[in-house]
Amino acid sequence: MIAYQELMEHVVREGNATDNDEGRRALEAVTGALARHTTPDTRKRLRAEFPAALRDHIPAQPSAPALETTGALSEEVAQEVGCPEEKGVRLVGAVLTGIRWSDPRLADDLASQLPDELAQWAHDPEGARGRADTGVSGSPSRLDESTLERAMERLPAWRGDTGGLTRDVDLPGDRVTPLLNQAEKAARRLGHSFEHYTTDSGVTFTVRTESIAAVTTRDIEMAERIDAAVATIGSGG
């Protein structure tokens, strides 16, 4: 049987949960979501192998069809946890890797019923981690189209798709270097990076994770920090 405390610690650590309360909500949300989208036999296995504290979140009957995209599951989880959807993806992945370490056969069963990316985290966490952006704590990071669209609702100045996001910033020439200094400082703190080039009217930023040629959760965080730097420098900070 999977130990609750070990699974909780794994989710807080690997899913970057803010605290044990968010980790608990993530465990409950992912447990319920997985059970709703899996077969009766899998739900029985979840009931048998999951800690008693999570069994009440496993419905006896299915209430949703099989999952077709990563975004569908992460959206459900994010709504229940109360976090951005891209963090929901990260938390789902953390739960799946925790299941893998504790019960590989159950993880394989779940993987057979999940979209490809999430299946990779349930089936082969190390291989999935190798596709993620450097510095992420072992959670799925690349965003599918629907997840990215919802994340970009918080990034109205950015444009692009799952292959990369770009923002043009217009500002006086003497403000470009202070802006880049702020953005680079934020990138070092985050452990990520961005691309940029100067223009006649300011600077253009691009965020993407080159190793997997995709936008990841870390790129969304980088874009948010660039926005914060723009706000500070644009106001004369």
Side-chain angles (χ1 to χ4, degrees):
M1 181 177 293
I2 297 172
Y4 181 84
Q5 188 58 37
E6 289 182 6
L7 188 57
M8 167 73 80
E9 291 173 356
H10 180 86
V11 170
V12 171
R13 182 178 65 253
E14 301 295 330
N16 198 28
T18 54
D19 52 29
N20 283 346
D21 184 59
E22 185 173 78
R24 174 189 57 77
R25 296 199 309 274
L27 275 176
E28 294 172 354
V30 175
T31 297
L34 290 174
R36 285 192 294 273
H37 293 283
T38 50
T39 66
D41 285 346
T42 301
R43 287 195 301 280
K44 288 179 183 178
R45 292 190 66 181
L46 288 169
R47 284 186 174 277
E49 300 300 330
F50 263 40
L54 295 174
R55 289 177 195 157
D56 287 345
H57 299 276
I58 302 173
Q61 300 296 327
S63 57
L67 290 160
E68 296 183 358
T69 68
T70 298
L73 183 60
S74 60
E75 182 179 11
E76 288 184 35
V77 171
Q79 287 177 348
E80 275 198 60
V81 175
C83 68
E85 188 180 337
E86 65 270 15
K87 186 170 185 178
V89 180
R90 181 179 297 185
L91 291 168
V92 172
V95 175
L96 291 172
T97 60
I99 295 171
R100 182 72 194 180
W101 303 135
S102 299
D103 191 333
R105 295 202 322 180
L106 176 57
D108 284 341
D109 187 12
L110 290 168
S112 70
Q113 301 171 61
L114 292 171
D116 288 346
E117 184 180 349
L118 291 179
Q120 179 79 356
W121 288 95
H123 181 66
D124 179 17
E126 290 299 333
R129 183 178 289 109
R131 298 198 319 266
D133 45 317
T134 301
V136 171
S137 59
S139 53
S141 53
R142 71 178 72 217
L143 304 184
D144 64 16
E145 186 173 348
S146 62
T147 307
L148 179 61
E149 287 176 356
R150 282 183 280 273
M152 288 186 69
E153 291 175 3
R154 307 197 311 277
L155 301 168
W158 294 79
R159 65 183 187 278
D161 55 27
T162 55
L165 302 179
T166 297
R167 176 177 180 180
D168 299 319
V169 180
D170 295 334
L171 76 172
D174 64 348
R175 306 301 290 167
V176 170
T177 296
L179 172 59
L180 291 176
N181 288 341
Q182 287 270 6
E184 287 167 358
K185 184 184 297 184
R188 288 194 297 271
R189 289 173 178 167
L190 183 61
H192 199 49
S193 62
F194 60 88
E195 300 169 28
H196 76 277
Y197 63 89
T198 57
T199 67
D200 291 340
S201 58
V203 60
T204 294
F205 292 96
T206 297
V207 294
R208 62 172 161 247
T209 299
E210 290 291 345
S211 62
I212 56 173
V215 174
T216 67
T217 56
R218 191 59 61 94
D219 293 312
I220 297 298
E221 294 177 52
M222 189 71 256
E224 290 176 329
R225 296 192 186 199
I226 290 171
D227 282 352
V230 172
T232 298
I233 297 301
S235 63

